[in-house]
Amino acid sequence: AKRAGRNGYQAFNPEMQRAMSMRVRLSQALRDAVQAGQLRLHYQPIVELASGRVRKAEALLRWEHPEFGEVSPAAFIPIAEDCGSIHCIGDWVFERAACQAARWRSRFGTDFQVSINVSPRQFQAGGRDFGRWLERLGELGLDGSMLALEITETLLMDTDQAIADKLAQFRAAGVQIALDDFGTGYSSLAYLKEFRIDYLKIDRTFVRDMTPDSKSFLLSEAIVTMAHRLGLKVIAEGVETPQQYALLERIGCDYFQGYLFSRPLPEDAFEGLLRSASCE
Ligand code: C2E
Ligand code: CA
Ligand code: CA
Ligand code: CA
């Protein structure tokens, strides 16, 4: 039972206070995480359904803190966004993923692509980060098409023209755009009309609830049909069972990722997987 304080709100709540002080400690630790080399990228294979081949990978951040242990990105990304560390972390992710993608391209095929997650905050800093990223690609002599940016609908809700311009610049440099967690949040099909998007990622919650007569299945089928009519490809995330896979195949989904094929892997393990797959 919650006891209200004199002013109508809870005067003291030890649990809340613990959570808040943990947040403060995490945000301080995050400031040093890049410098201290505590961040890693793991890569989850993205498989083309038609060929069964690994064509892409999603880069996912991992933070191993000496005291707190492994901290989930779901926990620390929101904190990094609030305290501003997201810019420094995002730059690191970009640099690391771009160099890795270039290496894997030269070894495993010229259409191999790595996608990175970017949060709306990174766009809203006047686009500073992204201007540098495009320059950096040029300096490194890298082809933009080796990268995709995973953005969310929240970003497109912002009517700021600068965001549309930034996305257009990336696409002009060959970088592709994926709309992450599609179907959650305030989906509006108007985004698809206004912005040039390359991939829709069907959210894990749809895949999780997918059975032949479920709404999730019907909605996924409708998403694939619509996407294809608009010239977009569809990636399903969080595929864990052969049943889910079979249903996605039935509706003509283009790519999938999930524990059924592989969890996100450290760089060397991912490379081992690519090597064994390319020798098949
Ligand atoms: P997301 O972009 O939706 O990433 C998918 C999440 O689902 C990942 O969690 C992945 O490990 C997990 N996943 C993959 N396959 C399966 C499956 O079959 N079953 C289940 N249950 N889960 C699966 P993760 O790695 O913990 O990342 C959580 C979120 O943190 C990401 O969600 C993304 O929003 C954010 N994130 C991760 N890395 C970055 C980054 O470099 N930058 C930014 N801005 N956000 C990131
Ligand atoms: Ca993602
Ligand atoms: Ca997602
Ligand atoms: Ca998500």
Side-chain angles (χ1 to χ4, degrees):
K2 288 182 187 125
R3 264 183 299 120
R6 211 189 295 257
N7 302 325
Y9 54 84
Q10 283 167 279
F12 183 69
N13 176 338
E15 204 174 297
M16 243 169 81
Q17 204 158 51
R18 250 198 310 277
M20 270 171 62
S21 84
M22 188 60 190
R23 217 182 144 84
V24 171
R25 292 172 70 200
L26 282 177
S27 75
Q28 280 160 355
L30 261 179
R31 290 205 184 99
D32 307 325
V34 172
Q35 286 276 313
Q38 293 165 355
L39 297 181
R40 299 267 179 283
L41 284 180
H42 281 191
Y43 295 87
Q44 186 173 41
I46 300 178
V47 181
E48 186 178 47
L49 268 104
S51 64
R53 301 189 73 106
V54 178
R55 296 283 192 202
K56 306 171 187 298
E58 177 176 3
L60 293 158
L61 257 176
R62 296 293 176 259
W63 181 25
E64 180 74 39
H65 187 269
E67 186 188 338
F68 307 132
E70 168 114 2
V71 190
S72 157
F76 75 76
I77 292 290
I79 297 175
E81 289 175 345
D82 283 351
C83 71
S85 300
I86 193 68
H87 301 292
C88 171
I89 292 173
D91 286 350
W92 181 85
V93 168
F94 167 79
E95 180 91 19
R96 186 89 199 167
C99 293
Q100 197 56 257
R103 246 166 62 83
W104 284 336
R105 263 204 170 183
S106 66
R107 303 176 65 166
F108 300 112
T110 52
D111 59 352
F112 188 79
Q113 187 178 57
V114 170
S115 64
I116 61 177
N117 292 283
V118 287
S119 52
R121 281 294 161 81
Q122 294 174 266
F123 273 84
Q124 284 153 0
R128 270 185 296 126
D129 309 14
F130 297 125
R132 270 207 310 275
W133 288 10
L134 285 172
E135 269 172 39
R136 194 74 187 113
L137 277 182
E139 283 166 18
L140 294 166
L142 300 181
D143 183 346
S145 67
M146 63 179 57
L147 286 179
L149 303 184
E150 300 200 0
I151 63 171
T152 54
E153 290 161 325
T154 325
L155 177 70
L156 304 183
M157 274 165 63
D158 197 323
T159 50
D160 189 349
Q161 181 61 29
I163 290 173
D165 292 345
K166 272 284 160 311
L167 286 176
Q169 276 178 39
F170 273 104
R171 285 191 91 257
V175 178
Q176 293 193 301
I177 309 292
L179 198 48
D180 206 355
D181 303 341
F182 188 74
T184 64
Y186 302 94
S187 300
S188 156
L189 299 179
Y191 305 141
L192 299 180
K193 200 173 71 172
E194 272 173 57
F195 296 92
R196 305 220 19 211
I197 307 285
D198 300 285
Y199 303 98
L200 294 186
K201 297 195 74 169
I202 298 184
D203 191 66
R204 197 166 80 212
T205 52
F206 284 85
V207 174
R208 187 190 61 204
D209 300 335
M210 218 179 248
T211 55
D213 46 11
S214 63
K215 282 187 185 169
S216 286
F217 178 60
L218 294 176
L219 284 167
S220 299
E221 184 175 37
I223 290 171
V224 171
T225 304
M226 174 191 70
H228 286 171
R229 291 295 297 272
L230 293 169
L232 314 182
K233 303 273 193 197
V234 181
I235 302 170
E237 60 180 22
V239 180
E240 294 183 355
T241 70
Q243 289 74 23
Q244 292 163 349
Y245 173 89
L247 290 173
L248 290 165
E249 190 174 38
R250 202 203 290 177
I251 61 179
C253 182
D254 302 286
Y255 301 90
F256 80 101
Q257 61 187 107
Y259 298 166
L260 176 66
F261 186 81
S262 171
R263 290 181 175 257
L265 301 169
E267 282 165 12
D268 48 352
F270 184 86
E271 196 166 317
L273 183 134
L274 273 193
R275 200 177 304 118
S276 62
S278 66
C279 296
E280 266 169 12

